[in-house]
Amino acid sequence: MKLQELTSYLESLAPLAYQEDYDNAGLIVGRPEMEVHRALVSLDCTEAVVNEAIATNCQVIVSHHPIVFRGLKKFNGKTYVERVVEKAIRNNIAIYAIHTNLDNMMAGVNAKICETLGLKNCRILSPKHTLLKKLVTYAPQSHADAVRNALFAAGAGNIGNYSETSFNAEGTGTFKGNDQTNPYVGEPGKRHLENEVRIETVYPAILESKILMALVLNHPYEEVAYDLYSLTNQNQQVGSGMIGELDNALAEEAFLYHVKEKMHCHVIRHTEYTGKSVKRVAVCGGAGGFLLKQAIAAGADVFITADYKYHEFFDADGKVLIADVGHFESEQFTQQLLYEIITKNFTNFAVRLTEVNTNPVKYFI
Ligand SMILES: [Zn+2]
């Protein structure tokens, strides 16, 4: 298939617009129209991973971390980043990164950690604001159903676990077309009163053009009246970190044993025990220290993340047990997640999990 079919699908699950400002997710090397038969999935795209792609005839590498993060100014092979990009181009291998846009999804990196640790009732720890908008439109009663259906099909009306949400109120619309018009009801030059339904529904801002297209195509009027509102509501489906609960509370030490085993950690760096048992657990794959306040505010007994620095451990301040499990360890299941989401949609497309352990951190025990 064309590479674009794969990337469009991945972006329908984790839209690029949901990546953080500093990120560089998306198609990094390769042309959207190139043919791909086999994908190699990895957490990092290192030289060893490109070599594996060449040896196993994979035309695209789908990695979590973008190999190119900052601007590249020279291509003379001096750094591993330059060498990876050059080797991929020379061998006609595409590189695609699905990074913080996947971190920020409900069914993303953190959900996989929660699943691994057996957490229930999981929700996003820090939902994004300003990603939602509201549409209000007015349809003649005869077409209210058709308009609503089209809006829902285009992605409007989803709140939490509910879909097809809208508010509808009947009222009277008025209009008078000039002599250039050919109104659906009424006559040009005469004021017309029509029984209409005011339909209100929310939608993710990134779907706006699709939703407006659906509205215009399924509304009978020549000029469709609608209002768009910016909202400051949280989008519960998109954001950083996740918090969930254990079925049965565990003592702190027992919980860390559980984490060590399930997440294959060589070592867990943690703060002093708080003395409380562990029921509520916040997680954030990768460097999640920026979420500590939210984890404490949400009542987390433990905050599992990575890349904690010495001074940052003090911020636990006896309120929570911080457990740094390692960056690679916290995100290792992302490879499996990518494998699952690609194979689920493309049953005849070969996907390979990398055999390279790309963790740059080694432990001397
Ligand atoms: Zn990471």
Side-chain angles (χ1 to χ4, degrees):
M1 65 180 171
K2 301 261 185 271
L3 176 58
Q4 187 160 18
E5 288 176 55
L6 176 64
T7 60
S8 301
Y9 167 66
L10 293 173
E11 285 162 27
S12 71
L13 301 177
L16 290 179
Y18 290 164
Q19 67 180 302
E20 300 297 334
D21 294 340
Y22 59 79
D23 201 3
N24 190 37
L27 184 58
I28 293 173
V29 173
R31 303 251 173 123
E33 67 275 11
M34 71 185 269
E35 280 287 327
V36 292
H37 305 285
R38 187 191 292 254
L40 179 61
V41 165
S42 69
L43 193 64
D44 303 283
C45 184
T46 60
E47 275 183 282
V49 172
V50 178
N51 288 338
E52 185 183 4
I54 296 167
T56 56
N57 198 25
C58 294
Q59 296 78 33
V60 54
I61 297 167
V62 178
S63 74
H64 182 51
H65 296 132
I67 178 66
V68 179
F69 219 72
R70 297 174 204 94
L72 290 181
K73 289 189 174 175
K74 293 194 172 77
F75 295 88
N76 55 27
K78 240 180 192 168
T79 68
Y80 78 94
V81 176
E82 290 169 20
R83 290 195 297 275
V84 165
V85 171
E86 185 186 342
K87 190 170 245 179
I89 293 172
R90 283 186 192 277
N91 288 279
N92 217 12
I93 290 170
I95 300 177
Y96 183 84
I98 179 164
H99 190 211
T100 52
N101 49 327
L102 184 63
D103 288 329
N104 283 333
M105 299 315 295
M106 190 75 184
V109 175
N110 297 311
K112 204 71 190 162
I113 300 174
C114 291
E115 182 191 317
T116 305
L117 294 177
L119 303 180
K120 305 278 165 59
N121 306 323
C122 299
R123 60 180 172 83
I124 299 247
L125 183 59
S126 179
K128 297 263 185 211
H129 292 260
T130 72
L131 296 175
L132 288 176
K133 292 185 82 173
K134 181 177 224 180
L135 166 73
V136 175
T137 188
Y138 310 84
Q141 284 182 356
S142 56
H143 284 71
D145 261 339
V147 168
R148 263 192 307 267
N149 291 343
L151 295 174
F152 295 154
N158 294 314
I159 301 177
N161 289 326
Y162 288 82
S163 58
E164 306 192 356
T165 66
S166 69
F167 183 79
N168 301 270
E170 291 182 9
T172 306
T174 71
F175 47 83
K176 180 170 84 177
N178 65 20
D179 55 7
Q180 309 288 312
T181 61
N182 180 21
Y184 170 72
V185 282
E187 289 173 42
K190 280 190 183 166
R191 182 190 298 165
H192 178 79
L193 276 71
E194 179 71 15
N195 292 332
E196 293 180 344
V197 180
R198 174 189 161 107
I199 305 168
E200 303 181 23
T201 187
V202 292
Y203 61 93
I206 57 164
L207 294 181
E208 185 158 290
S209 54
K210 190 179 170 195
I211 282 166
L212 290 181
M213 180 76 79
L215 171 64
V216 170
L217 290 176
N218 290 279
H219 197 292
Y221 289 178
E222 277 188 308
E223 291 288 349
V224 180
Y226 60 86
D227 312 318
L228 304 177
Y229 297 89
S230 292
L231 302 179
T232 53
N233 300 44
Q234 291 180 336
N235 185 337
Q236 298 161 36
Q237 305 294 314
V238 183
S240 321
M242 201 160 250
I243 185 159
E245 287 168 4
L246 290 169
D247 273 335
N248 299 306
L250 285 174
E252 287 166 297
E253 198 178 34
F255 179 70
L256 291 186
Y257 270 117
H258 173 67
V259 173
K260 192 167 190 280
E261 185 197 310
K262 292 289 178 188
M263 301 190 74
H264 318 299
C265 303
H266 295 277
V267 63
I268 298 176
R269 299 190 308 144
H270 66 91
T271 52
E272 213 168 328
Y273 290 139
T274 63
K276 293 182 289 181
S277 58
V278 179
K279 176 80 174 162
R280 202 172 283 178
V281 180
V283 306
C284 182
F290 66 99
L291 288 172
L292 180 67
K293 273 196 185 122
Q294 286 92 329
I296 293 170
D301 302 307
V302 182
F303 180 36
I304 297 175
T305 186
D307 291 357
Y308 249 83
K309 291 182 186 162
Y310 178 81
H311 289 285
E312 293 168 346
F313 278 100
F314 286 108
D315 297 334
D317 207 12
K319 298 181 184 114
V320 67
L321 177 67
I322 295 172
D324 182 332
V325 297
H327 196 123
F328 180 88
E329 288 77 3
S330 72
E331 295 181 336
Q332 62 194 305
F333 308 107
T334 307
Q335 295 181 165
Q336 190 63 35
L337 173 69
L338 289 171
Y339 181 89
E340 284 164 13
I341 57 186
I342 298 172
T343 49
K344 194 172 144 198
N345 197 60
F346 301 105
T347 42
N348 290 323
F349 181 72
V351 188
R352 178 188 164 86
L353 273 175
T354 185
E355 287 179 3
V356 179
N357 180 336
T358 60
N359 190 357
V361 180
K362 306 295 173 199
Y363 301 94
F364 184 81
I365 303 170

